[in-house]
């Protein structure tokens, strides 16, 4: 992949509808973005391992509940790795359980978001994602 790092997000979520909702919301605000989607935590790790260091994403978004490896598993494996340490990592999930939030934050997530239930919440989540990754949201 030859995409500018600051225009590239890795999204790991096993729900195709949730992937599409988030992709469309991001692209409606930032049409220049490239969003690489994978279906589970193991695919996310495999994808990152196959990226040349210059082609790493500027943001990693993980669903909490994925098959094979969940967000905590992925975070614990990439958290201290020198190539991935500086990449902001966020978790978005239908789970609002304090234990899930704590586990993600303790394992290196920069933020934990509940999946939005309205367009306004989705728009706010996208704004916050770009604040976390250091990009300015343009309208």
């Amino acid at each position: 992949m030859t995409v500018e790092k600051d225009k590239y997000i890795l999204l790991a979520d096993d729900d195709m509808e949730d992937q599409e909702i988030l992709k469309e919301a991001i692209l409606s605000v930032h049409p220049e973005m490239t969003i690489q989607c994978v279906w589970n935590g193991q695919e996310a790790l495999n994808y990152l391992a196959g990226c040349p260091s210059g082609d790493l994403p500027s943001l990693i978004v993980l669903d909490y509940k994925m098959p094979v490896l969940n967000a905590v598993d992925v975070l614990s494996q990439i958290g201290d790795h020198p190539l991935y340490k500086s990449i902001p990592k966020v978790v978005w999930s239908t789970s609002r359980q304090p234990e899930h939030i704590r586990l993600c934050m303790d394992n290196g997530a920069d933020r934990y978001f509940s999946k939005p239930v309205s367009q306004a919440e989705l728009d706010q989540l996208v704004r916050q994602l770009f604040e976390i990754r250091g990009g300015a949201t343009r309208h």
Side-chain angles (χ1 to χ4, degrees):
M1 177 186 296
T2 316
V3 175
E4 291 180 51
K5 177 183 172 161
D6 64 339
K7 298 189 183 326
Y8 164 36
I9 295 171
L10 176 61
L11 169 60
D13 194 322
D14 61 316
D15 185 314
M16 181 185 283
E17 187 175 326
D18 286 349
Q19 279 187 8
E20 287 302 314
I21 288 168
L22 186 56
K23 281 173 55 176
E24 287 177 16
I26 290 170
L27 293 173
S28 72
V29 178
H30 293 280
E32 76 284 1
M33 294 302 299
T34 297
I35 302 161
Q36 176 63 44
C37 294
V38 296
W39 301 100
N40 64 55
Q42 185 60 58
E43 288 182 9
L45 291 176
N46 294 346
Y47 185 84
L48 289 169
C51 288
S53 62
D55 282 341
L56 291 169
S58 63
L59 177 68
I60 298 171
V61 180
L62 304 167
D63 180 25
Y64 180 82
K65 298 177 185 178
M66 293 183 287
V68 187
L69 297 175
N70 67 23
V72 175
D73 299 325
V74 174
L75 290 166
S76 68
Q77 291 191 40
I78 66 173
D80 288 329
H81 192 289
L83 281 177
Y84 315 129
K85 192 170 181 115
S86 66
I87 301 171
K89 297 159 215 54
V90 300
V91 176
W92 80 318
S93 178
T94 55
S95 172
R96 297 171 193 253
Q97 294 183 26
E99 179 67 10
H100 292 170
I101 297 167
R102 186 190 60 75
L103 282 169
C104 289
M105 299 305 290
D106 287 352
N107 280 281
D110 293 285
R111 289 287 301 274
Y112 186 104
F113 295 100
S114 294
K115 287 187 178 178
V117 294
S118 70
Q119 186 63 46
E121 288 178 9
L122 181 60
D123 293 344
Q124 177 64 22
L125 183 141
V126 169
R127 280 192 295 279
Q128 290 176 329
L129 288 177
F130 280 87
E131 288 170 9
I132 290 165
R133 71 176 274 286
T137 303
R138 293 186 304 266
H139 293 280

